[in-house]
Amino acid sequence: MDTQYVKWDYNQMGVVATLKLSEPTENIVAWQRFLPTGPIALLPLTNCLSSLVWSLPTTEAKRLLKVSEEEFVDSINNALWKVYPKDGVVESGMRALQQLLEGLSLQTGAVKQLQPSVSAIIEGSRAAFPLQFGHSVSYVQTGTVLVGDAAHRVHPLAGQGVNLGFGDVTVLVQLLAEAVINGAPLGDMTYLRKYETLRQRYNVPIMFAIDALHRLYKGTAAPIVLARSLGLQLTNAIPVIKKALIEHASGQIRNR
Ligand SMILES: Cc1cc2nc3c(=O)[nH]c(=O)nc-3n(C[C@H](O)[C@H](O)[C@H](O)COP(=O)(O)OP(=O)(O)OC[C@H]3O[C@@H](n4cnc5c(N)ncnc54)[C@H](O)[C@@H]3O)c2cc1C
């Protein structure tokens, strides 16, 4: 399309695989742990199978594609369970907030489910994809429309990539239907430009929010760690914020 494309590399790859859990989980939940090297996420498929998305520096990701399946599984369990030394300032900040929330009778997430362990991977399911931020300045041209990752790519840490694409498709289909009802040709630029405007208005703020989260979680300095830990604990404890976030993440297409 010869359009401008804004992009930057995260110098990371997303390592994926289908994992067999050591024990079936009672409550099927998604897990994500933010490590200094990038987030590791387990997205449930059934109560004993999960899909892995592990963001890692490119060299480490490539190395993990080559190691034996046993070593790969050990690395996953290590990433899920390794205990990191905690910063004193962060610890005391978190304790103070917990006491405050308890004083206000706000739930502090006392009931915790432990992360699962992995026993094996489904043979041949291991792969890795380069991670990039990318956005096409234009989504449409006469006879051509970009949807999904062709128009925009985000870091997988928020699990939103495919939702943005589904939103594009929903809006495009609605506008093409509108064009047909009004007797306009399918390639009418008035409708295509409307698609572009609506979707860019929706996609771009989310893309930058995801990029900002990536930058926030990359930092290891105590004030950054403290700020994000307090933010997460507050989000978890205040039902209105938590509900709004869950609804936004799961209902993007409906609410676009
Ligand atoms: C590691 C990783 C984890 C992710 N995790 C999540 C997640 O948890 N949740 C989420 O919502 N999103 C996630 N995403 C993002 C999600 O995968 C993408 O947003 C989504 O797959 C985009 O769909 P798409 O159809 O637009 O593009 P794609 O899935 O890239 O499909 C494009 C297809 O076109 C084919 N193709 C390309 N060029 C040509 C050509 N010239 N001719 C014919 N065919 C061609 C390609 O082979 C491909 O099959 C993740 C992405 C990665 C990399």
Side-chain angles (χ1 to χ4, degrees), residues 124-144:
S125 64
R126 201 172 8 163
F129 302 88
L131 303 181
Q132 239 185 22
F133 176 101
H135 188 253
S136 176
V137 171
S138 174
Y139 286 9
V140 297
Q141 215 178 54
T142 315
T144 316

Side-chain angles (χ1 to χ4, degrees), residues 69-153:
E69 290 196 349
E70 289 74 27
E71 192 179 335
F72 183 58
V73 167
D74 285 347
S75 305
I76 296 169
N77 284 325
N78 187 42
L80 289 171
W81 287 93
K82 182 175 172 182
V83 179
Y84 287 86
K86 292 202 171 122
D87 184 281
V89 178
V90 177
E91 278 284 271
S92 26
M94 292 294 285
R95 245 195 322 272
L97 179 66
Q98 189 156 345
Q99 279 164 4
L100 179 72
L101 292 172
E102 278 165 7
L104 294 170
S105 304
L106 285 168
Q107 202 223 336
T108 55
V111 186
K112 265 195 182 162
Q113 186 178 328
L114 288 179
Q115 60 270 52
S117 290
V118 175
S119 61
I121 66 168
I122 302 278
E123 214 187 314
S125 64
R126 201 172 8 163
F129 302 88
L131 303 181
Q132 239 185 22
F133 176 101
H135 188 253
S136 176
V137 171
S138 174
Y139 286 9
V140 297
Q141 215 178 54
T142 315
T144 316
V145 177
L146 298 182
V147 295
D149 273 29
H152 41 71
R153 290 180 69 184

Side-chain angles (χ1 to χ4, degrees), residues 3 6 8 24 26 40 59 65-66 68 71 78 91 97-98 113 130 146 175 183 220 231-232 243:
T3 171
V6 181
W8 51 84
E26 214 173 285
I40 180 168
T59 41
L65 288 185
K66 288 194 201 129
S68 67
E71 192 179 335
N78 187 42
E91 278 284 271
L97 179 66
Q98 189 156 345
Q113 186 178 328
L146 298 182
L175 286 167
T220 49
L232 263 188
K243 195 163 166 257

Side-chain angles (χ1 to χ4, degrees), residues 13-16 41 43 51-55 127-132 147-166 168:
M13 289 182 100
V15 176
V16 300
L43 309 170
S51 182
L52 170 77
V53 182
W54 188 3
S55 306
F129 302 88
L131 303 181
Q132 239 185 22
V147 295
D149 273 29
H152 41 71
R153 290 180 69 184
V154 288
H155 195 285
L157 70 85
Q160 291 301 306
V162 87
N163 284 341
L164 295 180
F166 287 162
D168 295 346

